Amino acid sequence: MPSSKFVIESKIPSSFRVEKVKGQFDYDASVVRKEFDVDIPIEDIDWNIGLIVGASGSGKTTIAKNVFKDLELFDGFEWSDKTVIDDFDEKLSAKDITEALSKVGFSSPPDWLKPFSVLSNGQKMRAELARVILESDKPIIYDEFTSVVDRQVAQIGSAAIQKFIRRENKQFIAVSCHYDIEEWLEPDWIYDANEKQFYRRSLRRPNINVEIRKASQEEWKLFKEFHYLSADHNNAAHRYIAEIGGEPVAWCSFLHFPHAKVKNCKRIHRIVVKPDYQGIGLGGKFMSVLAQKYKIDGCRIRLVTSAPNFIHGLSQSKNWLMVRKPSRVQPAGKSSGFSNKTKATSTARLTASFEFVG
């Protein structure tokens, strides 16, 4: 955009209280006036993500509205009391919607089937962004970006969302008072409303330090509500927790896997990443680190999953080999390499099987 100069004026109505304040502070103006001279030179660059950042009252939203008049300013959706997926445009398929939700880090099927009103703030932000990116043909301005979520959640969410925006090749301008999301959102350009400065950026997301420890069976209660198939957990499983900043954010457990041909095989029993930490590849990394440990000890590791985000992610990974494409496993009595228990729980849904190769 070229340089943009504009003036915002607000008339001051007369009232008893207004006159009282004017007299008290010796202020005699009838109009509040603020001039803006903004230069955001992006017309000749390729970009997907921009960030307008500054303190409250610095004019961020006013700048966005006046400099980018042709862009769509997102100011919220009307959400019904139906499920989240039913509120998306009826022209979109269920596959389009669930893939978009997963890619912004909202990958919990039970929560997709809830009304928007009962979601957490982090889930609401991701659902809104998935919907606005899918449904809008114009570049989007998103005001108050991450303003209502915890700061660590805001950073993790920004990292997941920026990947989806770039994958869809959309243009998105975040307007925020929080500087702590800059490196996580990885914007192509930034306008700092405090400094009145424009910056080209090539930021890299900070490393996320994750600590892994053994877990007790009792700690499963922290994660069971987020496992979309079952809250049960086998007491014989080997259990692990991943922590970020001391916060338990992911669970992974392993069981011995009786197999007709493969000896010393284990399968991943439960893998859960809490909703606010989805979308950054944490689950796949967590599983791979643990699977490598078992591989060094001479074990083979298998995973059966129906989760679209895991199937997509692991199929792109060099660490995992897809040994069965998405399908329904054969019913009991048919020849396969899997136990009857696995068959019984998987025949009604499409699943894929992977083996860790390291």
Side-chain angles (χ1 to χ4, degrees):
M1 298 286 173
S3 297
S4 182
K5 294 183 179 181
F6 55 93
V7 176
I8 300 297
E9 291 185 345
S10 299
K11 290 185 178 180
I12 303 174
S14 180
S15 72
F16 174 77
R17 289 176 178 171
V18 167
E19 298 307 320
K20 191 77 172 174
V21 169
K22 282 184 175 183
Q24 185 176 356
F25 293 94
D26 195 23
Y27 186 78
D28 197 30
S30 59
V31 173
V32 176
R33 190 172 189 272
K34 187 171 182 179
E35 296 183 1
F36 292 83
D37 186 355
V38 180
D39 187 20
I40 304 181
I42 60 172
E43 62 272 18
D44 294 325
I45 66 173
D46 291 328
W47 64 276
N48 292 110
I49 299 173
L51 174 63
I52 300 176
V53 65
S56 225
S58 61
K60 303 180 301 296
T61 303
T62 301
I63 290 168
K65 287 179 178 179
N66 285 272
V67 176
F68 299 97
K69 292 179 180 178
D70 296 332
L71 273 59
E72 185 174 332
L73 177 66
F74 174 72
D75 58 0
F77 286 114
E78 290 291 332
W79 295 88
S80 69
D81 58 357
K82 298 185 294 184
T83 67
V84 169
I85 58 173
D86 282 326
D87 274 323
F88 279 71
D89 192 306
E90 61 182 14
K91 296 177 183 177
L92 297 168
S93 69
K95 183 174 182 290
D96 291 335
I97 296 166
T98 56
E99 283 186 354
L101 289 169
S102 295
K103 286 174 182 175
V104 296
F106 181 19
S107 54
S108 172
D111 290 321
W112 299 340
L113 306 182
K114 295 177 181 178
F116 180 81
S117 60
V118 304
L119 301 180
S120 71
N121 285 335
Q123 290 173 325
K124 286 178 177 178
M125 178 184 73
R126 297 183 195 220
E128 281 189 334
L129 283 161
R131 185 174 169 187
V132 75
I133 291 167
L134 279 183
E135 296 183 9
S136 178
D137 294 328
K138 292 183 177 181
I140 299 298
I141 301 171
Y142 192 102
D143 201 6
E144 300 296 337
F145 183 69
T146 75
S147 63
V148 297
V149 295
D150 172 84
R151 299 323 305 156
Q152 185 160 279
V153 172
Q155 293 169 347
I156 298 294
S158 295
I161 288 159
Q162 64 87 14
K163 287 197 296 183
F164 180 53
I165 293 168
R166 289 191 164 89
R167 188 176 291 120
E168 294 293 306
N169 197 27
K170 295 294 182 77
Q171 289 184 318
F172 178 86
I173 299 175
V175 181
S176 179
C177 60
H178 297 287
Y179 286 83
D180 60 357
I181 60 170
E182 282 188 19
E183 293 176 297
W184 301 82
L185 188 61
E186 300 181 57
D188 302 298
W189 58 264
I190 297 172
Y191 183 79
D192 189 319
N194 286 347
E195 299 179 357
K196 298 178 175 54
Q197 290 290 325
F198 171 84
Y199 302 96
R200 288 284 300 275
R201 281 288 191 253
S202 182
L203 300 172
R204 293 182 62 84
R205 191 196 76 192
N207 289 328
I208 301 171
N209 295 318
V210 181
E211 294 187 358
I212 298 174
R213 63 172 174 83
K214 290 184 178 180
S216 68
Q217 179 73 4
E218 176 69 13
E219 289 178 295
W220 171 241
K221 67 183 179 182
L222 300 174
F223 297 90
K224 65 181 183 179
E225 68 177 289
F226 305 117
H227 193 275
Y228 70 95
L229 289 179
S230 173
D232 296 334
H233 194 277
N234 193 310
N235 286 330
H238 296 179
R239 305 166 296 265
Y240 303 89
I241 281 177
E243 295 183 334
I244 296 177
E247 171 74 17
V249 298
W251 172 282
C252 189
S253 55
F254 295 76
L255 272 176
H256 178 64
F257 186 13
H259 195 282
K261 298 179 180 179
V262 180
K263 294 182 179 180
N264 204 16
C265 188
K266 296 186 182 297
R267 65 180 174 88
I268 293 179
H269 176 47
R270 296 283 184 262
I271 173 69
V272 182
V273 179
K274 286 184 178 180
D276 287 337
Y277 296 86
Q278 294 173 0
I280 57 171
L282 175 60
K285 281 281 190 180
F286 187 23
M287 290 192 303
S288 295
V289 168
L290 293 172
Q292 182 66 30
K293 169 185 174 294
Y294 281 100
K295 182 177 174 64
I296 291 171
D297 292 338
C299 297
R300 292 175 67 174
I301 302 297
R302 289 277 179 104
L303 169 69
V304 178
T305 181
S306 61
N309 56 319
F310 271 132
I311 293 174
H312 175 76
L314 296 182
S315 65
Q316 305 297 314
S317 172
K318 295 179 180 179
N319 289 324
W320 294 85
L321 175 68
M322 183 183 287
V323 294
R324 179 173 59 82
K325 293 181 179 180
S327 60
R328 290 179 175 83
V329 297
Q330 297 171 332
K334 300 289 184 179
S335 174
S336 85
F338 298 94
S339 68
N340 287 346
K341 183 176 181 181
T342 303
K343 297 171 193 171
T345 58
S346 302
T347 54
R349 55 194 170 88
L350 287 172
T351 62
S353 297
F354 293 86
E355 179 165 344
F356 181 78
V357 294

